[in-house]
Amino acid sequence: MLPDHAFFTRLADAAAAETLPRFRSGLDVDNKLSGGFDPVTEGDRAAESAIRRLIEETYPDHGILGEEHGASGLDREYVWVIDPIDGTRAFISGVPVWGTLIGLYRNGRAVMGLMDQPFTGERFFADPGGSLFAGPGGPRRLKTRDCRELGAAVLFTTSPRIMGTAALSRYDRLERQVRLARYGIDCYAYCLLASGFADLVVESDLKPYDVGALIAIIEGAGGVISTWTGERPEHGGDIVAAATPALHEAALAELNAA
């Protein structure tokens, strides 16, 4: 039996209790890399610990894959996929486009997901019944926009500058075809797509926890999400999300053009 919406809310509340007091607080930042910059904060680690504790107490037979505290039970029927602060660069910069990502896979397929942005008070949730928004303006069901052509599309990516040379060349070719491109929106971009305010999100070299919670949100709102080669996105990699099947097909064609 799948967990209910109320349990996801408990998880989001537990994470927010750790992240929100630390946002715009001048907290210390550690770097995971000896070369380059991959930031992590006390808020990342504390939020994931709080989420894992509730899951382990309530669903001890489920597996967990988290960005900060590793993996256990990945061969189990249900596996939780957690990114306590997706967009840590935004978090440490005081920009409220980061979010807590909590996804649930069943037999390797994303079936539920939640993105919580506690500073703005927005939550995006999906289960097999569809995708929902809760926050300012009141609750509503999410639906992607009916955009079918690249020339009419709004495209988001976190930053082309974090893509490798080959991926950047392919991305640039796609960006030249769209109406508008915007950068630096992290996981919030996928939720804006599900809400009907954007049409494409294109990212490179994602980990499973970067996208696991967002798959069900996109699909539950009527969108399509895959790798750049059209495969299922649960394992991460190069990811493209689109508002409609037609737009998704057009984006893949551009990304894979000779």
Side-chain angles (χ1 to χ4, degrees):
M1 182 180 297
L2 292 173
D4 59 15
H5 191 170
F7 184 67
F8 274 79
T9 297
R10 286 179 61 202
L11 296 178
D13 287 344
E18 301 295 345
T19 59
L20 192 53
R22 294 177 168 95
F23 183 52
R24 297 181 177 175
S25 68
L27 80 173
D28 292 333
V29 179
D30 297 326
N31 186 7
K32 297 180 185 179
L33 301 180
S34 56
F37 184 56
D38 186 9
V40 63
T41 71
E42 180 187 358
D44 295 80
R45 300 186 182 104
E48 184 172 320
S49 293
I51 294 168
R52 294 178 82 112
R53 187 161 49 248
L54 280 173
I55 292 171
E56 289 163 355
E57 290 172 356
T58 310
Y59 297 101
D61 56 335
H62 288 193
I64 301 177
L65 171 62
E67 180 175 15
E68 306 305 336
H69 297 306
S72 63
L74 297 187
D75 58 342
R76 298 174 185 174
E77 179 181 6
Y78 291 100
V79 176
W80 295 83
V81 184
I82 304 164
D83 192 343
I85 300 178
D86 181 86
T88 302
R89 289 173 177 83
F91 183 85
I92 65 176
S93 303
V95 183
V97 294
W98 56 275
T100 295
L101 300 181
I102 305 168
L104 182 65
Y105 292 1
R106 183 179 184 186
N107 296 322
R109 183 81 173 239
V111 290
M112 301 181 76
L114 178 141
M115 190 285 252
D116 182 45
Q117 212 316 306
F119 187 77
T120 63
E122 296 174 288
R123 282 183 182 167
F124 303 82
F125 171 77
D127 63 15
S131 297
L132 304 171
F133 169 83
R140 64 179 183 273
R141 190 163 294 277
L142 297 177
K143 181 71 176 71
T144 58
R145 188 157 53 193
D146 186 25
C147 179
R148 306 182 188 187
E149 299 179 357
L150 292 175
V154 174
L155 165 67
F156 287 152
T157 192
T158 298
S159 172
R161 301 299 153 222
I162 61 176
M163 296 183 182
T165 303
L168 177 58
S169 176
R170 297 165 69 187
Y171 168 82
D172 281 342
R173 189 169 57 230
L174 174 62
E175 187 186 293
R176 286 193 289 268
Q177 303 302 316
V178 303
R179 173 179 290 178
L180 172 66
R182 300 291 293 167
Y183 303 158
I185 313 179
D186 296 299
C187 61
Y188 200 69
Y190 295 86
C191 295
L192 290 176
L193 191 156
S195 302
F197 297 110
D199 307 297
L200 283 169
V201 182
V202 178
E203 304 270 46
S204 179
D205 196 28
L206 298 188
K207 302 297 187 289
Y209 42 74
D210 294 319
V211 72
L214 300 165
I215 298 169
I217 295 172
I218 294 292
E219 294 181 336
V224 182
I225 182 169
S226 75
T227 67
W228 290 12
T229 55
E231 304 298 320
R232 289 293 309 175
E234 275 83 0
H235 295 294
D238 299 335
I239 300 297
V240 54
T244 63
L247 187 63
H248 180 258
E249 183 177 347
L252 287 184
E254 200 65 41
L255 287 167
N256 293 293

